[in-house]
Amino acid sequence: MEGIALLSPVFVLAACCSGVMGYAIQRSGTCMVTAIDEILDGRRTERLFALVEAGLWVSGSILVWRQLGGHTALPVGYPPSAASALGGVLLGLGALLSGACMFGAIARIGSGQWAYLLTPLGYFLSCAMFSARFGQRPPMVGGAPLLDAGWLIVPLTVFAAWRARSAWQAARRGELAAHVWHPHQATTVIGIAFSLLLILVGPWAYTSALLALAEGRHSGLVIKLALFAVLLVGAIVGGWSEGSLRLRLPPLADALRCLAGGALMGLGSLLVPGGNDELVLLGLPLLQPYAALAAASMALAIVLGRFLVRSQPAHAR
């Protein structure tokens, strides 16, 4: 990413992918909080499976790209540890407090829920305050386990062909747009766009851009922040196209809740290490054990938090 210049063809393509990803986030089900709420309230798993599928597209894209002889920088792994589990718990509690994970916050911003602008701010402030104490990365344990499971390319390719056939059938019926922007397929679009970003500029997540800014790491920072800005613009355009965008000040309580939730998620990401978006779209697709541990801890914290809230008398909430 360090050698990429603004307005270069590579950056323009990457920016298009980031904008599409933001637009798709507005229509998708990428938030872990809403996925768990759907399971608890509706006994449905559509959003959870959509998250899994987004990760499958990333895994398949990496394997196919490597099979074609392409190379891209992939994040290294870390050993699973108590810090990973604790970080996952903090990610879950922060998402529960704010009402959305770091992915979901982008969707809320695109919908005109401006209190969620403070979620990335809280994340950044927490990283700036605590990175010196908790931001030391554990010893690396090597590359991505996914690359040692090359046999997965066969079932993943079959799965991709099946999904492509569904899109082709929708196109023949004149329903391609409705098909693509259905919440489940929109989550797939995120996985594909993220895969292209990974190939073009290497590992990128907007939480990593906020962390780099907080720690004063300037290498590639302009590109990372520019892609983050395009991601936000894409989400806002998505909200505007749906008619959900409104210009109104959020209640103070909502703003403080989002700020505190972002701060908790920032601290959690230092311990994992990695934010919600990095776990879903990088760690888990690469089959990293530490990411699986952190994601499971995050989900468990959200579930237990939901049950705790619901067990309280109505007047105490």
Side-chain angles (χ1 to χ4, degrees):
M1 189 177 291
E2 290 81 358
I4 300 173
L6 283 173
L7 301 183
S8 66
V10 171
F11 172 77
V12 171
L13 286 174
C16 289
C17 292
S18 185
V20 168
M21 201 162 74
Y23 189 88
I25 285 173
Q26 177 60 33
R27 287 163 162 73
S28 68
T30 50
C31 181
M32 183 70 78
V33 176
T34 56
I36 290 176
D37 283 345
E38 183 183 67
I39 294 172
L40 297 178
D41 297 333
R43 301 296 188 268
R44 294 182 293 116
T45 57
E46 284 87 348
R47 292 178 183 270
L48 178 62
F49 283 134
L51 283 171
V52 172
E53 183 169 338
L56 291 178
W57 279 95
V58 176
S59 299
S61 299
I62 291 172
L63 289 175
V64 170
W65 180 246
R66 289 298 181 102
Q67 189 68 26
L68 293 174
H71 296 280
T72 185
L74 294 177
V76 296
Y78 304 100
S81 64
S84 299
L86 177 59
V89 169
L90 292 176
L91 287 176
L93 293 178
L96 192 63
L97 177 60
S98 66
C101 65
M102 296 303 292
F103 248 141
I106 298 298
R108 300 293 186 94
I109 293 169
S111 295
Q113 300 180 50
W114 303 114
Y116 284 89
L117 283 169
L118 295 178
T119 301
L121 176 62
Y123 188 99
F124 166 77
L125 292 175
S126 181
C127 289
M129 292 172 62
F130 298 113
S131 62
R133 182 175 179 84
F134 300 108
Q136 299 299 318
R137 296 294 188 263
M140 300 175 184
V141 295
L146 173 70
L147 300 181
D148 297 324
W151 59 269
L152 286 173
I153 194 171
V154 175
L156 289 174
T157 301
V158 171
F159 177 78
W162 174 59
R163 282 302 193 193
R165 181 173 179 270
S166 299
W168 172 250
Q169 291 174 336
R172 291 184 63 183
R173 296 192 302 269
E175 301 171 354
L176 182 59
H179 176 82
V180 169
W181 299 122
H182 179 276
H184 188 103
Q185 276 70 245
T187 309
T188 298
V189 170
I190 291 172
I192 296 172
F194 187 85
S195 301
L196 292 173
L197 270 171
L198 190 61
I199 291 170
L200 289 168
V201 301
W204 180 85
Y206 90 88
T207 51
S208 65
L210 293 174
L211 175 61
L213 180 64
E215 293 181 338
R217 290 187 278 113
H218 302 296
S219 179
L221 181 59
V222 173
I223 298 297
K224 292 176 182 177
L225 293 178
L227 291 175
F228 175 36
V230 175
L231 181 78
L232 277 176
V233 170
I236 292 171
V237 170
W240 171 77
S241 67
E242 286 191 326
S244 61
L245 201 59
R246 298 289 184 274
L247 296 177
R248 57 177 180 270
L249 289 176
L252 179 60
D254 289 351
L256 293 176
R257 175 174 51 79
C258 290
L259 182 69
L264 273 177
M265 287 187 278
L267 180 56
S269 73
L270 293 174
L271 294 172
V272 168
N276 315 69
D277 51 350
E278 292 175 273
L279 291 179
V280 172
L281 290 178
L282 276 175
L284 291 177
L286 293 175
L287 305 182
Q288 297 286 8
Y290 83 94
L293 174 60
S297 301
M298 177 173 63
L300 182 61
I302 294 172
V303 170
L304 293 179
R306 279 289 188 243
F307 279 124
L308 180 63
V309 169
R310 293 173 186 185
S311 67
Q312 298 298 315
H315 67 271
R317 298 178 189 174

